[in-house]
Amino acid sequence: MERLPILSLITFSPLVGAVILFLWGNASARAVRWIALVASGVSFALSLAMLLRFDPGRAGMQFTESFEWLPELGIAYRLGVDGISAPLVGLTTLLTLIAVIASWDPIRHRVREYYITLLLLATGMLGVFVSLDLFLFYVFWEIVLIPMALIIGIWGSANRVYAAVKFFLYTLAGSLLMLVGIVALYQEYFQQTGIRTLDVLELAQGTYSSTFQFWTFLAFFLAFAIKVPMWPFHTWLPDAHVEAPTAGSVILAGVLLKMGGYGFLRFNLPLFPEATQRWAPAIVVLSVIAILYGALMALVQRDFKKLVAYSSVSHMGFVTLGIFALNQQGLSGAMVVMLSHGFVTSALFLLVGVLYERAHTRELAAFGGLARNMPIFAAFFGFFALASLGLPGLSGFVGEFLTLLGGFRSYRWAGVLGTVVVILAAWYMLRVYQRVALVRAPGEPPDPDDPELRMAITQGVPPVAGGGDTDQHTPDPRTFPDVTWREALTLAPLALLTLWIGVYPLPVLDMIELSVRAILAAVTGESM
């Protein structure tokens, strides 16, 4: 395994599938789907092998690969994973495979182009998590931008072009700021040592002035804050989620947002330790605002998908709170929240997609009583709703508990305010579950045994059937078929992982422990 370039194989397996699809211009839609499935499946299988061989007791990078690319400029092809990046690689390959399956029926036009774009996007995301050279990292970071914008802009909903352009401009602005930071860091290290390099691990050994750290930290931070996205850089996210196809929302929430959190851990903290400590209080304030703002906005949404999108803003606020609490519990919690959010929110978007395929609307008022004729859907939805609100025994609780514990240790007020969101999350998630799964469907006649009906008759008030008449263009929710086997196949592994981490998080915490300690040692100057 150590001799096998497994990280390159994981990263470029989807690209091989994309190239095959590009060259096979007359492939049938069925053949296209199967080639994409095989390419993403190979990448996922290799990532599982990598995770099984990963040694949590070994500090530093593992499965490293390196060869000179542009030696006169100090640019090399360097790959490696540690306890921070290895779980994110596994998450990316799993969600890519799920996205391929979830697109099987919904994507019916330009199928070949769609899967080429999705596989190219997968290669870009994987490259971000395994790159140890800043130039290579930036190449992969930019590769991600175009495919995601195309997925939103071509296969999205009515306002897809607006959402795609907004996503593109926000992300490009952050990328250009990061490029300025990379060039500045490259020049500063060369002036200090006479060595031209973009090796992340070597650059982290440099000594930089307070002023240089202050501004370069900010350049990297803004790029990653837009990607997370932190408040007030979040406004592109709800539009992108609402307009993206279901698989696009899965990838966007499950992986792309994690690229921002990963960037903080891999670059901001170890490269600019002094600036990290100076900026941390302000970032904690922004994180708490994001947590509360996202939850409050989710409370008032009428669009199911937009509600889940705003819940993502809130949950990712926990990630940045944990990271910039700058302690073991906070950083470990941030990693678990990122993984849990990848499982839970991706599943919620898949469930929204299930309803949209049947009703062609995401308005909550159009649904009701789905537990009667869609019991499997209601069971999955209830499970992931409870995971999202942080029920003990599920993954959401583990991550948020550790994050709040870390936040409370460093900033007591932040831990207290963050805890309020547990109540808000329960409020909006249980309310939407009640609205979609339990109350009467629009237009459904009242149950004669309904206490509300009896009270209405007693008071002489005409009862309302299911909250109003059904729109003539909206299918009756009582006629929706339950989850298909293919839809269940995308949801089941996410449910198992959510339960596993919730009940037994020790393997994940062991995997990330040494890497978290190394990051803290770089920031605080204390030995591991």
Side-chain angles (χ1 to χ4, degrees):
M1 182 70 74
E2 289 292 343
R3 295 181 180 180
L4 186 70
I6 191 166
L7 297 183
S8 291
L9 293 174
I10 293 170
T11 302
F12 293 108
S13 292
L15 181 61
V16 171
V19 170
I20 292 173
L21 293 177
F22 179 78
L23 296 176
W24 191 2
N26 60 348
S28 67
R30 178 180 175 84
V32 167
R33 293 184 177 102
W34 277 102
I35 291 172
L37 183 66
V38 170
S40 57
V42 168
S43 183
F44 174 62
L46 290 169
S47 71
L48 280 182
M50 180 270 293
L51 290 172
L52 291 173
R53 293 297 301 272
F54 186 88
D55 183 3
R58 177 180 159 191
M61 295 292 169
Q62 301 183 36
F63 309 106
T64 54
E65 304 173 29
S66 179
F67 66 82
E68 295 299 324
W69 186 4
L70 298 171
E72 64 277 8
L73 297 177
I75 297 172
Y77 178 84
R78 297 185 183 91
L79 305 182
V81 291
D82 61 358
I84 301 296
S85 51
L88 295 174
V89 169
L91 175 68
T92 303
T93 58
L94 171 63
L95 292 182
T96 300
L97 179 60
I98 286 175
V100 169
I101 298 172
S103 304
W104 207 272
D105 292 326
I107 301 299
R108 299 183 180 91
H109 74 285
R110 298 185 179 180
V111 176
R112 184 173 70 98
E113 292 86 346
Y114 172 82
Y115 279 107
I116 290 173
T117 307
L118 183 60
L119 293 174
L120 180 60
L121 174 63
T123 290
M125 295 184 299
L126 290 166
V128 164
F129 294 129
V130 301
S131 297
L132 296 180
D133 182 276
L134 269 173
F135 181 83
L136 184 64
F137 170 84
Y138 190 78
V139 169
F140 282 119
W141 182 275
E142 290 298 282
I143 285 175
V144 169
L145 174 59
I146 296 176
M148 191 69 242
L150 290 176
I151 287 174
I152 298 171
I154 297 176
W155 293 275
S157 301
N159 295 322
R160 57 187 180 272
V161 175
Y162 167 78
V165 171
K166 191 172 184 180
F167 164 79
F168 185 90
L169 293 178
Y170 265 78
T171 308
L172 181 62
S175 299
L176 293 176
L177 288 171
M178 181 169 62
L179 180 60
V180 173
I182 290 172
V183 173
L185 187 64
Y186 176 80
Q187 286 296 112
E188 181 69 15
Y189 190 82
F190 174 70
Q191 291 177 7
Q192 287 185 15
T193 64
I195 299 173
R196 296 186 182 276
T197 184
L198 284 167
D199 185 335
V200 175
L201 303 181
E202 188 172 345
L203 290 171
Q205 304 303 314
T207 303
Y208 309 106
S209 68
S210 299
T211 302
F212 178 83
Q213 286 195 42
F214 183 89
W215 293 108
T216 313
F217 174 98
L218 186 61
F220 278 85
F221 168 79
L222 289 173
F224 302 139
I226 290 171
K227 188 71 79 175
V228 166
M230 287 186 67
W231 183 92
F233 311 107
H234 68 284
T235 57
W236 64 267
L237 181 67
D239 292 319
H241 269 313
V242 168
E243 301 305 329
T246 297
S249 292
V250 168
I251 294 297
L252 188 59
V255 183
L256 260 69
L257 306 190
K258 312 307 178 296
M259 288 166 52
Y262 172 77
F264 292 142
L265 292 169
R266 177 65 69 224
F267 302 105
N268 281 85
L269 271 63
L271 289 173
F272 316 112
E274 185 178 337
T276 295
Q277 297 186 54
R278 292 178 63 185
W279 278 106
I283 297 172
V284 167
V285 171
L286 295 179
S287 301
V288 173
I289 293 174
I291 292 170
L292 294 170
Y293 171 84
L296 291 171
M297 289 297 293
L299 273 172
V300 299
Q301 297 306 313
R302 298 180 179 180
D303 183 299
F304 196 175
K305 205 172 188 183
K306 188 170 285 189
L307 182 150
V308 180
Y310 276 109
S311 76
S312 288
V313 175
S314 183
H315 287 300
M316 292 306 292
F318 281 102
V319 173
T320 51
L321 172 60
I323 291 173
F324 289 95
L326 301 180
N327 55 52
Q328 180 80 26
Q329 292 88 350
L331 266 71
S332 297
M335 274 298 302
V336 176
V337 170
M338 282 199 283
L339 295 174
S340 174
H341 181 267
F343 304 144
V344 174
T345 305
S346 296
L348 289 173
F349 279 120
L350 288 169
L351 290 166
V352 175
V354 168
L355 290 185
Y356 187 76
E357 284 298 305
R358 289 151 174 79
H360 305 293
T361 181
R362 293 182 293 266
E363 290 295 320
L364 292 171
F367 305 110
L370 293 182
R372 296 180 184 179
N373 60 304
M374 300 179 69
I376 299 175
F377 172 89
F380 273 121
F381 184 21
F383 178 85
F384 288 111
L386 293 173
S388 181
L389 63 85
L391 182 74
L394 301 177
S395 60
F397 174 78
V398 177
E400 291 182 8
F401 176 79
L402 287 172
T403 300
L404 290 172
L405 183 61
F408 190 82
R409 287 188 59 189
S410 298
Y411 304 92
R412 183 165 299 184
W413 62 270
V416 172
L417 289 177
T419 306
V420 174
V421 177
V422 175
I423 301 172
L424 296 178
W427 187 357
Y428 66 73
M429 288 308 305
L430 293 178
R431 189 171 69 173
V432 73
Y433 183 77
Q434 180 189 37
R435 168 69 264 178
V436 171
L438 302 180
V439 302
R440 295 191 304 274
E444 180 181 355
D447 184 348
D449 297 325
D450 189 342
E452 293 183 5
L453 175 61
R454 293 180 180 177
M455 183 179 296
I457 294 174
T458 302
Q459 297 175 355
V461 179
V464 178
D469 296 330
T470 306
D471 188 325
Q472 60 179 348
H473 300 295
T474 302
D476 187 343
R478 291 168 289 172
T479 66
F480 293 163
D482 207 349
V483 171
T484 66
W485 68 267
R486 187 176 289 117
E487 291 165 341
L489 186 63
T490 63
L491 293 164
L494 299 177
L496 290 174
L497 288 167
T498 300
L499 182 62
W500 173 57
I501 294 180
V503 174
Y504 188 57
L506 187 60
V508 174
L509 294 175
D510 283 344
M511 178 178 287
I512 66 181
E513 181 180 4
L514 290 181
S515 297
V516 165
R517 287 186 178 181
I519 291 171
L520 288 175
V523 174
T524 63
E526 298 176 0
S527 61
M528 294 176 58

